Amino acid sequence: MPAMVMSNAGPGGAKKFEGRITIYVVMCGIIAATGGLMFGYDIGISGGVTSMDDFLEEFFPVVYERKHKAKEDNYCKFDNQNLQLFTSSLYLAALVASFVASKVCTKHGRRLTMQAASIFFLVGVILNAAAVNIAMLIIGRILLGVGVGFANQAVPLFLSEIAPVHIRGALNILFQLDVTIGIFVANIVNYLVSNIHPWGWRLALGLAGVPASMLCLGSMVIAETPTSLIEREMLMEGLAMLKKIRGTDNVDAEYEEILHACEMARQVKQPFKNLMKRSSRPQLVIAIVMQVFQQFTGINAIMFYAPVLFQTIGFKNDASLLSAVITGIVNVLSTVVSVVLVDKVGRRFLLLEACGQMLITQVAIGGILLVNLKATNELGHGVAVWVVVLVCLFVSSFAWSWGPLGWLIPSETFPLATRTAGYAFAVSSNMLFTFVIAQAFLSMMCHLRAGIFFFFGAWIVVMGLFVIFFLPETKNVPIDEMTEKVWKQHWFWKRFIDEEENKIHSI
């Protein structure tokens, strides 16, 4: 029996969007979400590789020497701008690439954009695995970044557009689930290859080609979204695809709504310029702010540098990598929690619960390190274990909230006229602040010491207040009805929509 999704369309009355969860939609979702595997594997692998002695000795001998000095300051062992640039250069490239990907997404579709993402990523993998100098490493990272920028632009949009409204959140979070699986797999790889000398790091970087190949081959099989087909005036193909993914011929109401959204979008000749209008302010602000907040939870500082962080607090190399594997398992399992709950309890509940849990754990970690970890000592075994437990509690709360929802909410809130352009701002904002954190974290840890956890804790307080006052609930709202049912109903954001409409009517 197909699910009937009621949608109050305002003056025109209620519509019914009919559709069921088809095997084809699930298959397309799983294949597209492998773009998250690429992103996640890179997040996990870069931190592990930068803690491997063979890698450091070949490319960063100064860091290698400092790491092995017994009296070196615990908090400053890995403070090196070039080492940080190895990790962060990817995200700077992804920032720029996301705007190019927005144009490609609109003109050529989500599917081709994902194919391009996988090809750029594969070339970057080859350069990194074969690198003989820092220039090859950085160029490879830049190409990886272009791939990540294209994939992060196309995949969440693809998932939001093919999903029936009642499971849009869960299907979209497949992307973030694959990110966490990628991180977990990378942590296992780091652990297994760390004792393969002297080329274990090359194997670790080279295996990034596996998820990229999966996306490349998979994107040749999956369909384009009905919205993208109709947007590019392939109306019959769009209608046929809508019937196929919904598993029913009764799709007239949804087809008409997509058609109307596409007609409105065609009137917007400059979508990036249109984003600057007051009526686009709510979606744009929330899309950007969600990305900024996602990074200032401190999660990527922990996930990038988990092995480095655990070495800093006294774990030996193998133990630190194994601890990173443990946090990876927690990350994956907790993201599954989000898949199950997001369309039941809503976005705001998950975000607010996580703010409380993340704040407690960040303050607790900071307090333990402030009291117990000085410049040259090591944490006692029991205390170090408690730090790992607290890191796992922090990761779990992030993984069912700000991690997946930071990508879901921007992908579902923009009208079609500004959807790819608006989401490009979201992706680029994420990459910009990921770059900032990746480039600054090791230096911040050196200068702020344990205080870095209090720094992120303060940001979490700000995030919670923003959700309470400014973030509307988008659960079970059709993607093309957000303006009427969300933004026009919100106590603060409705003034931007109303003022723009009044301005139009007065002309």
Side-chain angles (χ1 to χ4, degrees):
M1 180 68 182
M4 304 290 284
V5 181
M6 296 296 294
S7 168
N8 295 322
K15 297 178 190 173
K16 291 180 180 179
F17 290 169
E18 187 173 313
R20 53 190 172 86
I21 305 171
T22 62
I23 294 175
Y24 188 69
V25 163
V26 174
M27 183 194 75
C28 287
I30 291 171
I31 291 173
T34 55
L37 282 177
M38 294 193 327
F39 188 27
Y41 186 87
D42 183 82
I43 290 174
I45 213 69
S46 57
V49 165
T50 53
S51 71
M52 293 180 189
D53 286 347
D54 293 323
F55 177 81
L56 292 175
E57 192 173 14
E58 183 159 350
F59 296 104
F60 304 98
V62 173
V63 178
Y64 176 79
E65 291 288 329
R66 189 187 303 163
K67 176 183 175 183
H68 289 278
K69 287 181 180 176
K71 297 299 182 183
E72 185 64 41
D73 191 324
N74 275 321
Y75 292 98
C76 300
K77 287 180 182 178
F78 297 89
D79 180 21
N80 182 279
Q81 288 298 312
N82 286 332
L83 180 62
Q84 292 173 124
L85 185 62
F86 167 74
T87 297
S88 62
S89 56
L90 180 149
Y91 303 96
L92 198 58
L95 186 162
V96 177
S98 62
F99 288 103
V100 179
S102 169
K103 297 284 189 182
V104 176
C105 247
T106 299
K107 186 173 274 190
H108 301 290
R110 288 50 163 158
R111 180 169 166 253
L112 187 139
T113 308
M114 287 187 278
Q115 288 178 342
S118 62
I119 293 169
F120 279 118
F121 201 88
L122 281 168
V123 176
V125 167
I126 293 168
L127 281 175
N128 270 186
V132 294
N133 53 49
I134 291 179
M136 280 185 73
L137 277 180
I138 300 303
I139 293 171
R141 295 289 292 175
I142 289 171
L143 289 171
L144 291 176
V146 175
V148 166
F150 271 59
N152 286 18
Q153 172 73 21
V155 173
L157 291 178
F158 179 92
L159 295 173
S160 287
E161 290 178 351
I162 67 167
V165 64
H166 56 293
I167 62 158
R168 187 178 63 238
L171 192 63
N172 192 284
I173 290 172
L174 282 177
F175 174 74
Q176 182 65 21
L177 178 61
D178 273 14
V179 171
T180 63
I181 292 172
I183 293 170
F184 172 58
V185 171
N187 289 335
I188 292 176
V189 170
N190 283 333
Y191 180 68
L192 293 176
V193 307
S194 61
N195 291 316
I196 300 177
H197 304 291
W199 51 271
W201 64 269
R202 292 188 188 275
L203 178 60
L205 293 177
L207 287 174
V210 174
S213 298
M214 291 169 62
L215 180 63
C216 186
L217 295 174
S219 60
M220 297 176 184
V221 176
I222 61 177
E224 185 57 87
T225 71
T227 299
S228 180
L229 291 168
I230 296 168
E231 183 180 33
R232 290 179 287 140
E233 300 186 354
M234 291 181 256
L235 303 186
M236 291 300 100
E237 294 93 330
L239 177 59
M241 186 53 60
L242 187 60
K243 291 177 179 179
K244 184 174 183 178
I245 67 174
R246 295 293 179 256
T248 177
D249 289 336
N250 188 16
V251 295
D252 290 349
E254 187 172 2
Y255 175 75
E256 289 298 325
E257 184 156 293
I258 295 173
L259 191 62
H260 176 69
C262 290
E263 289 170 354
M264 296 293 291
R266 285 191 201 99
Q267 296 174 22
V268 178
K269 303 301 181 185
Q270 297 177 302
F272 283 100
K273 184 177 180 181
N274 207 58
L275 273 175
M276 300 302 110
K277 292 183 177 179
R278 284 183 63 84
S279 59
S280 297
R281 198 76 49 82
Q283 304 96 317
L284 184 61
V285 168
I286 284 177
I288 293 174
V289 166
M290 287 295 292
Q291 305 308 315
V292 175
F293 285 164
Q294 188 191 72
Q295 298 313 307
F296 277 88
T297 59
I299 185 64
N300 275 345
I302 287 174
M303 299 313 290
F304 284 150
Y305 299 113
V308 172
L309 178 64
F310 290 130
Q311 281 191 35
T312 295
I313 63 175
F315 287 75
K316 300 304 180 186
N317 192 54
D318 283 355
S320 68
L321 290 171
L322 184 58
S323 299
V325 171
I326 293 170
T327 60
I329 294 172
V330 170
N331 200 13
V332 173
L333 295 178
S334 299
T335 305
V336 174
V337 172
S338 187
V339 172
V340 173
L341 293 181
V342 67
D343 290 313
K344 296 178 181 177
V345 302
R347 284 66 161 150
R348 280 168 51 89
F349 175 84
L350 290 175
L351 292 171
L352 289 172
E353 185 282 332
C355 282
Q357 189 170 327
M358 287 191 297
L359 178 61
I360 292 169
T361 51
Q362 288 277 31
V363 170
I365 293 169
I368 288 174
L369 297 186
L370 184 66
V371 172
N372 294 284
L373 187 67
K374 308 306 179 184
T376 57
N377 72 315
E378 290 188 2
L379 289 182
H381 177 74
V383 176
V385 169
W386 271 111
V387 172
V388 174
V389 170
L390 288 167
V391 167
C392 287
L393 287 172
F394 170 81
V395 169
S396 68
S397 58
F398 175 87
W400 62 56
S401 61
W402 290 89
L405 300 184
W407 296 107
L408 168 61
I409 291 172
S411 75
E412 66 183 3
T413 52
F414 285 99
L416 183 60
T418 56
R419 188 170 298 157
T420 58
Y423 199 70
F425 270 93
V427 173
S428 62
S429 299
N430 184 282
M431 295 304 143
L432 173 61
F433 285 93
T434 302
F435 168 79
V436 169
I437 293 297
Q439 188 65 24
F441 174 69
L442 295 178
S443 298
M444 289 171 67
M445 187 162 66
C446 181
H447 292 91
L448 295 178
R449 300 176 177 269
I452 192 169
F453 294 96
F454 300 117
F455 169 82
F456 289 126
W459 274 99
I460 290 168
V461 173
V462 175
M463 292 157 50
L465 293 173
F466 182 86
V467 173
I468 291 171
F469 293 107
F470 299 111
L471 187 70
E473 181 58 68
T474 53
K475 178 185 73 171
N476 290 335
V477 180
I479 194 169
D480 289 311
E481 294 188 14
M482 290 290 173
T483 298
E484 294 293 330
K485 300 192 71 176
V486 173
W487 306 115
K488 285 188 177 182
Q489 308 301 321
H490 191 270
W491 73 273
F492 180 77
W493 298 118
K494 66 180 181 181
R495 71 185 68 180
F496 294 91
I497 308 296
D498 292 342
E499 286 180 19
E500 189 71 24
E501 288 188 348
N502 291 337
K503 182 178 176 181
I504 293 171
H505 292 148
S506 65
I507 295 176

